[in-house]
Amino acid sequence: MVPGSGLSSDRRIGLPSKPRIIPPGTLYRGHEGMWSWVAHRITGVGIFFFLLVHVLDTALVRVSPEAYNEVIGTYKNPVVGLMEVGLVGAILFHAFNGIRLILVDFWAKGPRHQRKLMIGVGIIWVVLFVPFVIRHLSHVFGG
């Protein structure tokens, strides 16, 4: 980092140094690595809380099948249908970004291709997510 200039150098192995403008008052550079890190953590926490609720409501069937049926019945509404869309989007992103992270960590050329890998994650996510959204929302709102 060049003090007072808002510029930093990219000193990755094998890459030439190029100046970057860092927004004032932040430690983050805002590139694909940082945003994928943030999104990976957010989707991971969201998936964790879904799994927690899923285990708890499924365990309810052992306590009272009637209570279980009542809880499952409350899930059959458009709000939960939209939440399911978010869940599937989070799972898809988390899975493919995890594969990208494995490639960056264990493939010697991974760090050099981080931006291309992130674009690939985005393309695969859209290709799989958009058809799901169309089909799922047709069931949620169409009957």
Side-chain angles (χ1 to χ4, degrees):
M1 169 112 175
V2 180
S5 69
L7 297 177
S8 74
S9 301
D10 189 358
R11 303 246 186 241
R12 294 183 210 154
I13 297 173
L15 295 177
S17 177
K18 54 185 173 184
R20 291 188 175 167
I21 297 175
I22 298 174
T26 182
L27 298 174
Y28 299 110
R29 292 183 171 85
H31 296 280
E32 61 280 340
M34 190 235 7
W35 291 116
S36 70
W37 182 88
V38 169
H40 199 74
R41 292 333 180 258
I42 291 170
T43 56
V45 168
I47 293 166
F48 170 78
F49 282 116
F50 162 76
L51 289 173
L52 179 67
V53 170
H54 178 64
V55 167
L56 291 174
D57 69 10
T58 303
L60 189 60
V61 77
R62 301 277 291 162
V63 176
S64 169
E66 295 81 22
Y68 172 79
N69 289 334
E70 189 176 322
V71 168
I72 295 302
T74 63
Y75 293 160
K76 295 178 182 180
N77 66 60
V79 173
V80 175
L82 291 173
M83 290 171 64
E84 290 171 340
V85 168
L87 175 66
V88 170
I91 290 170
L92 286 174
F93 175 79
H94 196 80
F96 292 121
N97 191 54
I99 293 169
R100 183 192 71 83
L101 290 172
I102 291 168
L103 289 172
V104 168
D105 287 345
F106 295 108
W107 179 35
K109 296 179 182 179
R112 246 183 264 156
H113 298 289
Q114 190 167 180
R115 184 178 188 96
K116 291 176 189 171
L117 291 169
M118 191 64 208
I119 291 169
V121 166
I123 290 170
I124 293 170
W125 184 83
V126 168
V127 165
L128 294 175
F129 187 59
V130 169
F132 165 76
V133 170
I134 293 168
R135 182 167 171 82
H136 183 68
L137 291 181
S138 71
H139 289 294
V140 169
F141 294 110

